[in-house]
Structure formats: C-alpha cells, structure tokens
C-alpha cells in the first residue's frame, strides 16, 4: 500500500499523476484539511504534523510514503527518515532536481510557498550538482487561496501571477519549477507570463515517474482511501474537480 500525504487537498494532484502511471497501485491518501495551510508555518510545526500523519499511514499499512506536499518535502524529509529508517519515502523535490540535472538546465526559477522558498531545498542540491546554474526563486503565497476558491482561470489571478513573476521574464529563464501541490492547476497562466517560452517542471509528474520506477511490488487491487482531518462541502467540490468519480472519503482527526 502506498501512502501519500499533504497539508490538504492539493496533494491530490500528485495522487492523480501516480494513479495515471500505476493505476493498480492501491493508495491511501491523507490530507490535513483541519490544519492547512502549512506554507506559512514553522519547521517545528510542519515536522510535528507530518510525523503524526506518517504514524497514521503506517498504522494503516503503508509500506512506502509519498510526501506530496512541497513544504513538507522541503522541511521534513530527513526528519521523517531518521524516525522511520526502514520506510521508503519519496519527496517531490528530489525528482525535480534530478530532471534539471539530466537536462543540464542553466537558468531556473523555483516558485512555492514561503516556507519552501525560505528553506532553499531546491537550491542546495542543485548547486552541488550544477555549480554554475543560475537560480531564481519566488514565494507566491496568494496562489493557493485563489486555486482553493476555484479561481484558477480568474483575471485577478493572472494579474497576481504577473506581479510575482514578470520581473523574471527578462532573465532568460529556461524552466519554472512548480514547487507547490496547487500550481499544476494554473500552469497555463504561469506559462503565459513567459510568453510560452519556458519549460514547466511539474513536481507531481516527476515524483509519479519515480514512484512508477520503484513499483516492483505485485500491484494490489482494492479501494483507494482518501482520509482528511476535516471535511466540508467546499473540499468536496475541489476533490471532485481533481479526482473526478466518487472517491472513498473518510474523516480522521489527528492531535491538535
Ligand atoms: N501543499 C502545500 C505545498 O505544496 C501548499 C498548501 C499549504 O500551504 O499547505 O507546499
């Protein structure tokens, strides 16, 4: 069983890509909707939340766990591995770093939450692999609330995107790394700011490829289960937008 977790519903973009590539892999998803967003929180809090979720996923039989949340990938990957040494963790940063390395990108822009950008979790490994790479980064804290409101095509979001990103247009950026679960849902707007002349690196797709490569287990049929720590009608429409059909949704409340 593959565990996948995120601060909320955004990690479903990762679950969706994984299911596209390994449809028979049974997944158990946990979205911490009661405590989202994590992107402006401290490392200590994000580690505590992530550890509680991992404990829950392990209790449900997860043998491998995907840290679908970029913020959690940036701030908790090593912490979780130390506490669960035999668990196979996938994070969403490592596969993007590998792709940029393989493609020998020389100018990249990383966008994400404040916590992800502040952590420099993309910069450190990339500068080791590609010491001459020119990296730019931008926190885009307004993107998540707009997308969660279903406004990913909205004119206001286009304006905000320009405000955050237009200063990079003249920098000859080769690729933009979508360093947040929600950004694949607005990738066309981001591309438009760069007049379509930029490659988009989608962490959700990259980690799905890595999971597929590591799936040597006999695939298990069975229901995927989507756990959330809180549930509202608003979540329902967002989830259906991404996953479609009728997901098997359960509520599980974690410690405060
Ligand atoms: N899931 C978070 C991420 O990918 C975005 C939402 C949040 O701030 O919790 O960084």
């Amino acid at each position: 069983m593959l565990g996948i977790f995120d601060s909320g519903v955004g990690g479903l973009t990762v679950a969706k890509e994984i299911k596209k590539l390994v449809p028979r892999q049974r997944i158990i998803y946990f979205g911490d909707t009661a405590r989202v967003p994590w992107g402006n929180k401290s490392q200590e809090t994000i580690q505590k939340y992530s550890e509680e979720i991992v404990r829950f996923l392990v209790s449900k039989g997860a043998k491998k766990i995907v840290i679908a949340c970029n913020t959690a990938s940036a701030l908790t990957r090593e912490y979780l591995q130390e506490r669960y040494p035999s668990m196979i963790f996938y994070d969403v940063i490592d596969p993007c770093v590998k792709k940029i390395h393989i493609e020998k990108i020389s100018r990249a822009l990383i966008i994400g939450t404040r916590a992800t950008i502040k952590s420099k979790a993309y910069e450190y490994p990339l500068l080791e692999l590609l010491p001459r790479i020119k990296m730019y980064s931008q926190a885009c804290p307004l993107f998540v609330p707009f997308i969660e409101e279903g406004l990913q095509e909205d004119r206001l979001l286009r304006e905000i995107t320009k405000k955050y990103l237009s200063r990079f247009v003249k920098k000859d950026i080769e690729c933009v790394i979508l360093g947040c679960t929600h950004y694949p849902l607005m990738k066309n707007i981001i591309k438009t700011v760069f007049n379509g002349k930029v490659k988009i690196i989608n962490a959700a797709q990259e980690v799905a490829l890595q999971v597929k490569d590591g799936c040597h287990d006999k695939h298990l049929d069975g229901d995927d289960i989507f756990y959330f720590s809180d549930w509202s009608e608003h979540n329902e429409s967002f989830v259906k937008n991404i996953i479609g059909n009728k997901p098997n949704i359960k509520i599980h409340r974690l410690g405060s």
Side-chain angles (χ1 to χ4, degrees), residues 29-209:
Y29 179 92
F30 192 96
D32 200 0
T33 38
R35 302 186 292 197
V36 71
W38 290 4
N40 297 323
K41 291 191 167 69
S42 69
Q43 178 163 24
E44 203 187 3
T45 299
I46 296 164
Q47 285 175 341
K48 176 176 170 284
Y49 291 175
S50 300
E51 193 176 356
E52 283 171 8
I53 296 170
V54 166
R55 201 179 310 133
F56 172 73
L57 291 173
V58 169
S59 78
K60 291 288 172 193
K63 298 282 181 268
K64 298 176 179 181
I65 293 180
V66 178
I67 309 171
C69 177
N70 275 259
T71 305
S73 292
L75 299 175
T76 72
R77 166 75 205 251
E78 281 167 27
Y79 175 89
L80 293 174
Q81 194 71 72
E82 268 170 30
R83 274 148 189 83
Y84 290 86
S86 56
M87 176 59 74
I88 297 172
F89 285 104
Y90 296 93
D91 68 80
V92 284
I93 295 173
D94 177 64
C96 294
V97 166
K98 289 198 171 119
K99 185 168 173 96
I100 291 173
H101 183 215
I102 288 166
E103 298 201 355
K104 296 193 170 45
I105 300 280
S106 56
R107 302 174 86 81
L109 169 65
I110 303 141
I111 56 175
T113 63
R114 281 206 180 95
T116 298
I117 296 306
K118 188 168 163 249
S119 74
K120 297 205 180 296
Y122 286 90
E123 282 94 328
Y124 290 133
L126 274 170
L127 284 169
E128 253 182 45
L129 293 168
L130 297 166
R132 297 174 65 184
I133 189 170
K134 186 89 186 135
M135 307 204 66
Y136 301 90
S137 63
Q138 176 66 48
C140 304
L142 288 172
F143 287 176
V144 167
F146 263 82
I147 294 169
E148 295 225 336
E149 284 302 320
L151 298 173
Q152 55 265 34
E153 306 286 339
D154 197 89
R155 187 182 53 81
L156 270 178
L157 185 58
R158 282 177 202 276
E159 291 307 313
I160 290 167
T161 309
K162 275 191 214 151
K163 186 153 181 62
Y164 281 142
L165 304 183
S166 53
R167 70 190 171 99
F168 299 107
V169 172
K170 289 204 180 109
K171 306 275 186 203
D172 243 347
I173 302 284
E174 281 170 64
C175 78
V176 178
I177 304 162
L178 305 182
C180 175
T181 45
H182 292 58
Y183 300 174
L185 300 172
M186 56 174 287
K187 68 172 188 294
N188 292 337
I189 292 191
I190 294 167
K191 225 174 163 168
T192 306
V193 173
F194 292 91
N195 305 312
K197 289 186 194 133
V198 85
K199 182 180 287 190
I200 298 286
I201 297 193
N202 180 344
Q205 283 170 348
E206 298 310 320
V207 75
L209 287 166

